[in-house]
Each structure stands twice: as C-alpha cells, then as structure tokens.
Amino acid sequence: MMDLLEQLANPEAGDLSDVIDLDRYPINRPGSSEWTAMIERIHTQLADDGCLVLTDFLRPAALALAEEEIAAMAEHVPIRRHSSTVYARADLEASLPAGDPRLSPLVWNAGHVTRDMIAPYTIAHRVYASAYFKQFIAACTNRERVFEYADPLAGLVATVLPPTGAYPWHYDTNEFVVTIMTRKPDDGGVFEYCPDLRHPGDENLTGLADVLSGDHPEMIRRVDVAPGDLQLFLGRYSLHQVTTTSGDTDRHVMVFSYADRPGVIGPVDRTRAVYGRVTEAHLVAEAAAAESPDGLIL
C-alpha cells in the first residue's frame, strides 16, 4: 500500500496504465513504431485543423473517478457571472480607442477549480505532472520539452459551467491547451473556434470584429467531444469559446496548460479577471514581467 501511496503522491514518476488507454495511445513507449505513427497522425491533424480529439483517452474507471473528484472540488467553487473582453486585460484596454473590438463586452458565467485546490493523488494531477504525458505533449507540439506552470492558480485547472454557463470568445495565453472533459451538459456547451485568426505580430482586429459581430458563421468550426476524450488545441492563435449550456447538468473539463520555459506565471489583471483573485506570486511576477516574445497580447 505504501508503494501505491508514494506513486500517487509523486505523479512525475507515476505509472498511468490505470488511467490512460496505453494500448490505443502508447504514450509510455516513446520511439516505438506505434508511438511514431501516433505522433505523425497527430501532427497531420493539427496542421490541417489546429485542433485534435483523441477519443476515449481515459480508461472508463479512471474517467469515473476523475468525474467524482472534479465534481467534489466544484462544489467549493463560486460561479462568477461577469462581463469581460476577449483579452480580459483591463490594464491594456484602458488605453484603447472607443470602437476597438478588443473592448467588446462578453458575458462569462463559469467557475474554476484552480491548481491550489487539486491534490497530487487525483487523476487530473497525475496526468498533468506525468513525465510520460509531458513528453507526449512536447512531441505533439514539436518541442523538445514542455514545463508545468509555476502559477499557483493556473496551468492545471478544471472549468465548471453550470446550466446557462458560458465561456465566451477568447485567446489563451499559451500556444496550446490540452483538455479532457469529465462531465457533459444536457445540451449546449459546444466548443467553437476560428483557426489561426491571429499570427505573431498581427492581432487581426478586422477578423476579430467579424467573429464578434456574429455575421460570419463560415469562420467558425465546431468540435464535438465526449467525457474521457482528450482535446489538444492551438488556442493562442485561434479565437475560441464554449457555447451556453442548458439542462440540469454542469459541464466539467480538466485543463492542462504547459509552457515552453519554466517559471511562467499569468499577468495580474488577466488572472484576476478569470479567477477572481491573485496571489503574492502574481504580484511579484508582475513587477519583473517582460513583453510577450511573439508580440501578441498575453
């Protein structure tokens, strides 16, 4: 029993054979022919669509446990209904001219299980901190290595959308995000995105205005995911949202975010806008913050 407990408390070294369908997705066999074929398929789909879904990534028993764990934590999460913007950067937006689409108000109705609430023995933490999983994500995104966030609130979170919940149009601060749904709403809660709407050095404000106007449905793609599916999405460059939910069932999604360098902590204004609070670590990091390396708003 002690060996099992030590493994659960040290996800970096833990075995995920009870969590992930390793026969179908051999993330624990880097360099094998099966691994190479899997990564090649993923690269092709990401290049074509900017998004990919690996169905039934979690084993059924692990999914059931993850659903219970996230649901228990979600009971302690306040649901915040508030108005924000695509960038959720109040400090930056204060200098923008009237009519700029970056000022368009959007209604958020969601809660977040933050990393400081997620214990190391949970399914979510075991997957996020796993050396095999991080190596797999690095290979999927053509990186030598990815790093966990140093942010005490972000990096590993679970989004909670209640009935009538919504996660409106936004970009992510990091280039890609990995998600696994644990609970699906009765209706709605569909993931929509506009692939490659912006590019390094170009915010494409015209394209942003077109999407926000609602007059260009041809720009929007929809992705259907089920509990247990893994979704990898290039969210820094592709505007995306989750449509309003309905019915009696919450929508719960585990979100795994990684950085290309160690020590990443989110900006104060965005963190406060998204999570409703900040920590000392955010305030210290803000004082030493550098500009975005790709010239895009974080």
Side-chain angles (χ1 to χ4, degrees):
M1 177 62 71
M2 183 58 67
D3 289 342
L4 175 59
L5 292 178
E6 289 177 351
Q7 174 181 303
L8 294 179
N10 183 17
E12 175 71 23
D15 179 7
L16 293 180
S17 58
D18 61 323
V19 176
I20 296 170
D21 186 345
L22 297 178
D23 297 323
R24 189 173 183 182
Y25 304 108
I27 72 167
N28 62 331
R29 287 183 278 156
S32 67
S33 58
E34 295 84 1
W35 158 283
T36 301
M38 173 180 65
I39 297 301
E40 288 177 351
R41 290 194 300 271
I42 288 170
H43 285 170
T44 298
Q45 188 169 350
L46 284 176
D48 291 344
D49 302 326
C51 179
L52 99 117
V53 176
L54 302 180
T55 59
D56 297 323
F57 189 76
L58 293 188
R59 294 190 181 278
L63 172 59
L65 178 56
E67 180 183 14
E68 292 178 7
E69 291 171 341
I70 298 300
M73 290 182 278
E75 293 180 0
H76 304 282
V77 169
I79 301 299
R80 300 177 59 240
R81 183 179 180 88
H82 65 286
S83 178
S84 187
T85 63
V86 164
Y87 297 94
R89 295 297 309 276
D91 293 351
L92 176 140
E93 291 154 10
S95 64
L96 297 178
D100 192 302
R102 290 171 290 184
L103 295 175
S104 299
L106 302 169
V107 177
W108 300 64
N109 187 24
H112 293 88
V113 177
T114 50
R115 184 168 187 178
D116 58 350
M117 300 175 64
I118 301 176
Y121 54 76
T122 58
I123 295 294
H125 197 286
R126 290 179 62 194
V127 171
Y128 181 66
S130 163
Y132 283 128
F133 191 72
K134 285 185 283 191
Q135 187 175 15
F136 166 66
I137 297 302
C140 290
T141 57
N142 285 310
R143 286 167 169 77
E144 290 187 8
R145 184 178 179 183
V146 296
F147 297 87
E148 298 174 36
Y149 269 39
D151 195 308
L153 302 182
L156 172 62
V157 303
T159 57
V160 180
L161 293 188
T164 72
Y167 218 72
W169 292 113
H170 65 284
Y171 291 108
D172 295 327
T173 57
N174 49 308
E175 185 172 338
F176 61 90
V177 169
V178 184
T179 66
I180 300 178
M181 179 183 288
T182 59
R183 180 174 291 180
K184 191 168 186 173
D186 296 328
D187 198 11
V190 176
F191 181 83
E192 298 183 337
Y193 73 108
C194 304
D196 294 324
L197 190 67
R198 68 176 185 175
H199 302 275
D202 178 15
E203 293 289 346
N204 187 11
L205 299 185
T206 300
L208 175 62
D210 287 342
V211 175
L212 296 181
S213 72
D215 296 332
H216 296 272
E218 73 281 358
M219 299 175 66
I220 300 171
R221 299 185 187 181
R222 297 164 63 92
V223 179
D224 186 26
V225 295
D229 294 351
L230 179 143
Q231 179 180 354
L232 198 160
F233 171 65
L234 304 180
R236 181 159 175 77
Y237 307 116
S238 299
L239 193 70
H240 54 287
Q241 72 168 354
V242 177
T243 64
T244 303
T245 61
S246 61
D248 300 317
T249 305
D250 288 358
R251 181 186 190 269
H252 294 168
V253 174
M254 301 185 294
V255 182
F256 311 95
S257 299
Y258 298 98
D260 58 4
R261 63 192 187 281
V264 170
I265 296 178
V268 168
D269 54 349
R270 181 181 174 90
T271 300
R272 184 176 283 117
V274 174
Y275 302 120
R277 59 192 176 102
V278 297
T279 69
E280 182 182 70
H282 294 95
L283 299 175
V284 171
E286 182 88 326
E291 293 185 1
S292 166
D294 60 5
L296 295 177
I297 298 171
L298 291 170

